[in-house]
Amino acid sequence: MKNTVQLHKINIVLNIFLILLFFTSFIGLDPILTQFCQDYQTLFILVYLLSLSCIFYTILKSVFRIKKEQFQLKSNSMANTQALKQLSHDEKYILSLFINKQSTENSLDPKNPSVQLLEAQKIIINTAIIDGVKKVYRIDPKIYKLLRLNPNLLY
C-alpha cells in the first residue's frame, strides 16, 4: 500500500512537470527548450496522457471502493434490522436492558434460553466475567448503535 501511495505521488509530480514544460514551451521563455519540446511533442503528449490516465484510474478506484464500503454498511444494517425484527418479545426485552442502562455491558442469567439464543446469533457476546450467579455480556456495537438510533425496533 505504501509503494502505491509513493507511485501515485510520483505520477502527480510528473504530470505537474509536464504541464509546466508545455506552458514554458508555449510562452517561449527559452528557444532551446521550445525547440526541444516541439521535436518531442508527440512523446510528451503520450507520457502526459498515460500519467493522466493513471491518476484517473486511482481516483476512480478510490471512489468505487468507498461506494462498495457504503453499500456493504447499508446491507449489513438492513440484515441487522431484519434479525432484530425476527426476535421474540423476551429477546427484545433483554436487548432493551442494554439500551435502558445506556451501557454496552450487562449482567444476565446464562441459563435463560433467550440469552443463549442471542449469544448464538452473536448479538450479545460473553465477556467471561462472572457477576455472582450471572455472567456479564456485551452487546454487538453495530446492534447497539442501530438500537440507539432506532429504539422502535424493540417494540
Side-chain angles (χ1 to χ4, degrees), residues 111-125:
K111 295 178 184 175
N112 186 338
S114 298
V115 172
Q116 292 173 355
L117 182 72
L118 289 172
E119 186 178 8
Q121 290 180 351
K122 301 202 189 276
I123 295 176
I124 60 174
I125 301 153

Side-chain angles (χ1 to χ4, degrees), residues 141-155:
K142 294 173 189 170
I143 301 286
Y144 183 74
K145 184 177 179 181
L146 182 64
L147 290 174
R148 294 277 296 159
L149 292 175
N150 191 1
N152 292 334
L153 290 173
L154 294 173
Y155 305 108

Side-chain angles (χ1 to χ4, degrees), residues 75-154:
S75 65
N76 287 345
S77 176
M78 288 174 53
N80 288 338
T81 302
Q82 287 298 327
L84 289 173
K85 285 182 180 179
Q86 294 176 355
L87 295 176
S88 71
H89 179 70
D90 293 337
E91 294 151 356
K92 289 180 180 181
Y93 173 74
I94 291 171
L95 292 177
S96 72
L97 295 175
F98 288 97
I99 301 303
N100 292 340
K101 285 179 75 176
Q102 295 185 356
S103 173
T104 57
E105 292 185 355
N106 202 354
S107 297
L108 301 170
D109 182 15
K111 295 178 184 175
N112 186 338
S114 298
V115 172
Q116 292 173 355
L117 182 72
L118 289 172
E119 186 178 8
Q121 290 180 351
K122 301 202 189 276
I123 295 176
I124 60 174
I125 301 153
N126 187 353
T127 61
I129 299 172
I130 299 173
D131 185 21
V133 231
K134 298 181 176 183
K135 288 186 178 180
V136 177
Y137 289 90
R138 180 177 293 131
I139 190 169
D140 183 356
K142 294 173 189 170
I143 301 286
Y144 183 74
K145 184 177 179 181
L146 182 64
L147 290 174
R148 294 277 296 159
L149 292 175
N150 191 1
N152 292 334
L153 290 173
L154 294 173

Side-chain angles (χ1 to χ4, degrees), residues 8 51-64:
H8 180 68
S51 172
L52 193 62
S53 65
C54 289
I55 291 171
F56 283 144
Y57 172 76
T58 305
I59 291 171
L60 287 175
K61 187 177 174 183
S62 297
V63 167
F64 284 134

Side-chain angles (χ1 to χ4, degrees), residues 18 21-22 25 33-51:
L18 289 173
L21 186 67
F22 290 146
S25 172
L33 181 63
T34 304
Q35 183 61 39
F36 178 76
C37 288
Q38 287 176 355
D39 291 344
Y40 296 102
Q41 184 175 12
T42 306
L43 178 65
F44 287 145
I45 290 174
L46 288 175
V47 170
Y48 176 75
L49 290 175
L50 178 66
S51 172

